[in-house]
Amino acid sequence: MPQAVIGCDLSRAVIDICELPSGRIGQIANTPDAIDAWLDTLDHDIRLVFEATSGCDGDLIAALATRSHPFSRVNPRQAREFARATGTLAKTDYVDARVLAQMGAALDLLATIPLSPTRSRLADFLRRRRQLVDMRKAEKLHRHSAGQPDIAQAIEAMIDLLGQQIAELDRQIAGIIAQDHALSEQARLLTAVPGIGPTVLATCSANFPNSARSVVARSPRSQASPPIAWTRPRSPT
């Protein structure tokens, strides 16, 4: 009998579910309590497949990781390519739980290894930093079309405020790395690679637990360098 696979289509409010080969469908609330109650009813060998949906899958991943329950978190682009290749949907159609279940049943998907709580926390801080950096870039573009001195002054004040918040996040990110032995060791190895700055270092540490040794192994020089000071790079005005 084929192994059971459950496709999960996540939104902030609910999770749509499709199980194969049974064809059963359902829906649960995307909340920790509802997810826990649902997972308690599943056999451990049922593979869950869902798209990497930033901001919607945190509770599900945490619950699966606690249970060591197998799951595959797939790239949305790959899910769409699978659906189009199998004739399941057109270019603009929606990838739903049924498509994800079919993908899990048809392909030998790699099991996703969840991030540790510390790496997950670091990833959250990095995501917020990217948001603020994007906001600051947008404000810098706006100042060229401010039109009025008061508006230009307000824009400059917002740019300064965003810079302060980014600097504070930089300090918090550095603290998270320094307080975790595995992260700090990975950071030490990555500093041996030319061109690896603080932001790239933190991103690799958060999202790629095994990146340090593979990157260093490919580096022209493998000796460790002094730790990089976590400072905010100067932005062009």
Side-chain angles (χ1 to χ4, degrees):
M1 182 176 179
Q3 181 184 10
V5 179
I6 296 179
C8 301
D9 178 24
L10 289 85
S11 68
R12 294 191 181 279
V14 298
I15 303 175
D16 291 322
I17 300 162
C18 178
E19 180 180 337
L20 292 179
S22 69
R24 288 194 296 265
I25 60 174
Q27 186 182 87
I28 63 171
N30 192 357
T31 63
D33 289 343
I35 292 170
D36 285 338
W38 172 58
L39 291 180
D40 286 341
T41 68
L42 300 182
D43 292 336
H44 187 269
D45 60 349
I46 296 179
R47 170 70 60 86
L48 272 63
V49 180
F50 52 93
E51 290 181 302
T53 310
S54 178
C56 295
D57 56 8
D59 291 334
L60 178 58
I61 291 174
L64 291 168
T66 299
R67 292 169 169 77
S68 297
H69 194 112
F71 69 96
S72 295
R73 189 172 184 256
V74 301
N75 186 297
R77 178 182 56 80
Q78 294 175 322
R80 294 193 64 80
E81 289 178 351
F82 168 81
R84 288 199 294 269
T86 56
T88 306
L89 81 169
K91 184 175 181 180
T92 58
D93 287 342
Y94 181 60
V95 175
D96 58 12
R98 177 177 57 88
V99 172
L100 293 167
Q102 290 172 340
M103 185 178 182
L107 303 180
D108 186 17
L109 298 175
L110 293 176
T112 300
I113 300 175
L115 298 176
S116 68
T118 302
R119 291 184 191 274
S120 180
R121 182 167 179 258
L122 177 58
D124 289 340
F125 275 87
L126 285 166
R127 181 171 59 251
R128 181 54 180 164
R129 187 185 189 278
R130 287 193 298 271
Q131 292 169 352
L132 294 181
V133 169
D134 289 342
M135 292 168 62
R136 186 174 62 181
K137 288 179 180 177
E139 285 298 287
K140 288 181 177 181
L141 293 175
H142 293 158
R143 66 185 176 187
H144 298 299
S145 58
Q148 300 295 323
D150 290 347
I151 296 176
Q153 184 176 1
I155 291 173
E156 291 296 341
M158 179 59 69
I159 292 172
D160 289 342
L161 177 61
L162 291 170
Q164 294 171 19
Q165 293 185 5
I166 292 169
E168 176 58 28
L169 283 173
D170 287 343
R171 287 189 286 271
Q172 292 175 295
I173 289 168
I176 293 172
I177 293 174
Q179 293 168 14
D180 184 270
H181 175 73
L183 286 174
S184 59
E185 174 64 13
Q186 186 174 8
R188 184 188 67 80
L189 291 172
L190 286 171
T191 57
V193 181
I196 296 289
T199 302
V200 174
L201 183 152
T203 302
C204 289
S205 298
N207 298 293
F208 308 104
N210 298 319
S211 63
R213 296 190 183 279
S214 60
V215 171
V216 171
R218 293 173 172 82
S219 172
R221 58 185 179 91
S222 58
Q223 71 273 18
S225 303
I228 295 177
W230 188 275
T231 57
R232 177 164 58 92
R234 186 183 302 276
S235 300
T237 56

